[in-house]
Amino acid sequence: MKRMLFGILVMVGLVLLTCSEPPSDPPSNDGNNNKPDYRAMVQITGTGTGSFLMGSPVGEVNRNSDETQWLVKLSNFKISKYPVTQEWFQDVMGYNPSFFVGANLPVEEVTWFDAIEFCNKLSELQNLEPVYYIDVITRNSFGNITNATVTELSWDNSGYRLPTEAQWEYACRAGTTTPFNWGTNQITSDQANFNATASLYNGSPVGVYRARTTPVDIFPANAWRLHDMHGNVFEWCWDWYGTYPTTVQLDYKGASSGSGRVLRGGGYYNGGGQLRSAFRVRNAPFDVVSRIGGFRVVAP
């Protein structure tokens, strides 16, 4: 059965309505008292002459049928160290659609179209060549784009763009092949922001459910210095959702069309199995993915 985020939202709706104040969060892992650069980009070395195995092995717990493993070749790219924060989004876009408000919280309640517009505006602010052309048709009262036409100008332009699904998973895994990028088959609430009181993954210990987003820097980074690749908010990718190819491809950008755009990473009210590196969901590009949909950006 095809999975949509709507089903996930329904299952947790009652919990959200009755949650109490969240427990205190673990301390920041930056190792100093300086404010992190929430707009930092991290250089990711591609696969070179080799390839990267995307998807999950047959024996992985909670594996879904759309995670069939296949080989991908990737060029070098940069990716934002953190999900886009509300402060960064506000500075670029001039508004903040988020439900949970805080400068260093991830922006959420953004449509895929909003994420595309952010990429273009950020490119223009830095005098870079936009990767997309977006013709905005309608917005809602909060400023979200609910209908637009997006055209790719050139993938080789110097501006910002959304990560492809392959880039996202490659960056998330940081060389690991396990369900989570710390190299194990379990997950705890000290490692990511998720619901650690229900749907415990593969015998993982019971933890806390914070019932909201958390600052983007408080959990440990993966081996490539990227934070929040698991949990906190789902992250929009460029790709239309579709079946993976069966042959090796370079810089694969997803299906040519589909019923929704891909989101990755899991969110604060999901169980551990939905935070796995290979887990995929999709939603319509005009959907704000209530309280849990954010994104990060990439550049050449």
Side-chain angles (χ1 to χ4, degrees), residues 3-5 48 59 103 119 129 148 177 194 212 229 245 251 272 283:
R3 298 175 319 286
M4 298 290 286
L5 279 181
C119 291
E129 303 166 296
T177 58
F194 71 109
R212 57 167 298 149
M229 298 300 290
D251 295 330
N283 245 49

Side-chain angles (χ1 to χ4, degrees), residues 61-299:
V61 176
N62 289 167
R63 180 182 190 266
N64 294 304
S65 60
D66 62 355
E67 299 171 14
T68 304
Q69 289 187 310
W70 69 295
L71 294 173
V72 186
K73 293 179 179 290
L74 289 173
S75 303
N76 298 343
F77 62 96
K78 298 183 184 74
I79 188 167
S80 51
K81 185 174 183 178
Y82 308 99
V84 172
T85 62
Q86 293 176 32
E87 181 179 63
W88 195 7
F89 191 88
Q90 174 78 50
D91 286 351
V92 173
M93 302 292 284
Y95 73 100
N96 181 8
S98 305
F99 180 84
F100 301 108
V101 178
N104 62 344
L105 296 179
V107 69
E108 23 90 3
E109 300 228 345
V110 290
T111 68
W112 181 86
F113 293 128
D114 295 331
I116 292 291
E117 186 177 43
F118 177 91
C119 291
N120 274 9
K121 288 195 172 184
L122 182 61
S123 299
E124 292 164 1
L125 286 171
Q126 297 185 15
N127 295 315
L128 301 174
E129 303 166 296
V131 175
Y132 313 113
Y133 172 75
I134 181 168
D135 181 16
V136 177
I137 299 172
T138 57
R139 295 181 188 268
N140 63 21
S141 59
F142 299 101
N144 300 106
I145 302 173
T146 55
N147 194 9
T149 300
V150 175
T151 304
E152 181 187 326
L153 297 175
S154 174
W155 209 254
D156 295 324
N157 283 356
S158 58
Y160 293 89
R161 54 184 185 258
L162 288 180
T164 65
E165 203 180 354
Q167 287 175 324
W168 190 96
E169 185 173 327
Y170 181 69
C172 174
R173 288 188 177 279
T176 63
T177 58
T178 49
F180 308 105
N181 59 32
W182 37 83
T184 72
N185 296 319
Q186 292 189 328
I187 180 172
T188 73
S189 55
D190 290 331
Q191 295 170 310
N193 182 18
F194 71 109
N195 187 350
T197 64
S199 302
L200 300 180
Y201 183 79
N202 195 32
S204 299
V206 174
V208 300
Y209 172 42
R210 296 175 177 86
R212 57 167 298 149
T213 58
T214 50
V216 297
D217 65 318
I218 67 172
F219 293 100
N222 69 8
W224 292 351
R225 300 185 294 119
L226 304 175
H227 289 259
D228 273 5
M229 298 300 290
H230 297 298
N232 217 3
V233 292
F234 271 102
E235 299 179 11
W236 287 110
C237 294
W238 162 257
D239 310 41
W240 286 109
Y241 174 85
T243 302
Y244 290 150
T246 56
T247 56
V248 180
Q249 297 197 31
L250 174 65
D251 295 330
Y252 179 67
K253 293 187 288 185
S256 59
S257 62
S259 58
R261 298 286 183 171
V262 172
L263 297 104
R264 289 299 205 102
Y268 68 87
Y269 57 61
N270 296 116
Q274 294 165 338
L275 273 65
R276 294 176 300 109
S277 298
F279 183 74
R280 316 167 67 203
V281 290
R282 70 198 186 280
N283 245 49
F286 55 78
D287 197 321
V288 296
V289 195
S290 180
R291 306 184 190 182
I292 203 171
F295 67 101
R296 68 182 74 214
V297 296
V298 302

Side-chain angles (χ1 to χ4, degrees), residues 29-72:
N29 288 276
D30 287 298
N32 56 59
N33 295 320
N34 297 324
K35 180 181 177 181
D37 180 2
Y38 294 120
R39 308 179 190 205
M41 302 290 289
V42 175
Q43 178 69 56
I44 303 296
T45 302
T47 57
T49 58
S51 57
F52 141 65
L53 189 61
M54 185 174 177
S56 61
V58 172
E60 186 166 298
V61 176
N62 289 167
R63 180 182 190 266
N64 294 304
S65 60
D66 62 355
E67 299 171 14
T68 304
Q69 289 187 310
W70 69 295
L71 294 173
V72 186

